[in-house]
Amino acid sequence: VGGRAVVSIWRDVKREAMNPAFTGGVRDMLPVTPGIAAWGITTGVALANSGLSLVEASAMTLFVFAGSSQLAATPLIMSGAPLWVVWLTALCVNLRFAVFSAHVRPFFMRFPLLRRTVYAYLLTDTSYVVFIKRYPTVPETDAQRAHMESYWRALGFVTWVAWMGSSFMGIALSSVIPLTWGLSFAGILALMGISCSLVTTRLRALAATLSGTAAVMAFSMPMKLNILVAVGVAVAMSVLIEKSGRSAYAGHDALDVNAGDADTSGGEKRG
């Protein structure tokens, strides 16, 4: 059974490799791969030097596909903190993915639950940004959805391979690579680069400015809750501004209609 499963997966991979949507996703994801790898190496080194055994560090890398959660939870685990504290910390650090998931839900809601679960596992900061840049709106036809699904698989495939490979490299070379190299900053720069490319409107620029300001002002909050504050402030202000803009636009249209009606009635009277 295991052999047939491996053969089936290999056939799926070969078939996807010939798909233009898949190759396009791989091509779009490659520029940010060095940043992912740098962050993965940093996380692997940190795990190996935290006191976890080789098996524990490797298992955490495989099952916890989230670098921030790993770095936040590991010191708590080693200090003997209660399990609920570890879980709560990891949840707070990764609350931004709830926002990401809510945003991409309309794109995947037609797929079966198991497939959506796998795709949710592959959701990362970089894959989310690259995906939204490529698909700003939900595909309407079956062909477009199939293209989108292959594209998402490519993003997840590249991210997973880059992260796992670099993380295990960091674990293996932990005695050689010091944390003082600051490799994680390369990952931050890569994410900033693709995020800035999405700032194409004034509203998005305002949202980016507000979220950055809020994140800095709330930096002293524990468990990186400043990220959640930044997201909340940006979303709330953007919604308010967008609603105000729509109300103003609707009011302007109403004035135009009233003016048109007045001109019409005036013409009728003059006639």
Side-chain angles (χ1 to χ4, degrees):
V1 176
R4 287 198 298 270
V6 171
V7 172
S8 177
I9 293 173
W10 175 246
R11 287 176 179 173
D12 290 341
V13 171
K14 289 177 64 177
R15 184 172 59 252
E16 286 284 21
M18 302 299 293
N19 190 329
F22 188 87
T23 55
V26 171
R27 184 173 56 252
D28 291 345
M29 202 67 191
L30 284 179
V32 299
T33 300
I36 297 173
W39 182 248
I41 291 174
T42 301
T43 303
V45 172
L47 291 178
N49 290 329
S50 66
L52 295 175
S53 66
L54 179 62
V55 175
E56 291 170 338
S58 300
M60 194 172 192
T61 298
L62 285 172
F63 295 112
V64 185
F65 187 42
S68 299
S69 290
Q70 293 181 45
L71 294 176
T74 300
L76 298 175
I77 295 173
M78 299 309 300
S79 64
L83 184 60
W84 70 269
V85 174
V86 177
W87 279 95
L88 182 61
T89 301
L91 176 65
C92 291
V93 168
N94 276 345
L95 271 177
R96 66 188 185 279
F97 288 107
V99 179
F100 297 165
S101 298
H103 190 186
V104 300
R105 180 181 178 274
F107 293 84
F108 298 98
M109 61 189 304
R110 293 175 177 268
F111 297 121
L113 177 60
L114 180 58
R115 196 183 305 179
R116 295 202 309 268
T117 303
V118 174
Y119 291 164
Y121 168 76
L122 296 174
L123 176 64
T124 64
D125 299 274
T126 50
S127 62
Y128 166 77
V129 174
V130 174
F131 177 78
I132 292 301
K133 186 177 180 180
R134 176 64 178 82
Y135 287 96
T137 58
V138 179
E140 298 179 356
T141 66
D142 292 338
Q144 291 173 340
R145 281 190 288 271
H147 187 283
M148 178 204 71
E149 186 177 15
S150 294
Y151 188 84
W152 179 260
R153 288 176 178 176
L155 302 185
F157 172 76
V158 174
T159 304
W160 193 89
V161 171
W163 178 261
M164 293 300 169
S166 59
S167 294
F168 281 112
M169 182 183 298
I171 293 173
L173 302 178
S174 58
S175 60
V176 180
I177 302 176
L179 288 174
T180 53
W181 282 11
L183 291 175
S184 59
F185 190 62
I188 297 174
L189 290 178
L191 186 59
M192 286 182 62
I194 57 177
S195 297
C196 289
S197 67
L198 291 175
V199 184
T200 55
T201 64
R202 291 183 179 181
L203 184 60
R204 290 183 178 182
L206 178 61
T209 303
L210 289 173
S211 62
T213 303
V216 173
M217 293 180 64
F219 183 75
S220 59
M221 296 183 69
M223 297 184 292
K224 295 187 178 181
L225 286 175
N226 62 315
I227 298 176
L228 183 61
V229 172
V231 172
V233 169
V235 171
M237 292 303 297
S238 297
V239 170
L240 288 175
I241 293 172
E242 188 173 13
K243 285 185 176 180
S244 299
R246 289 177 179 175
S247 299
Y249 185 76
H252 181 71
D253 286 348
L255 290 175
D256 290 343
V257 171
N258 292 334
D261 292 342
D263 291 341
T264 301
S265 61
E268 291 176 349
K269 290 180 181 179
R270 286 192 298 273

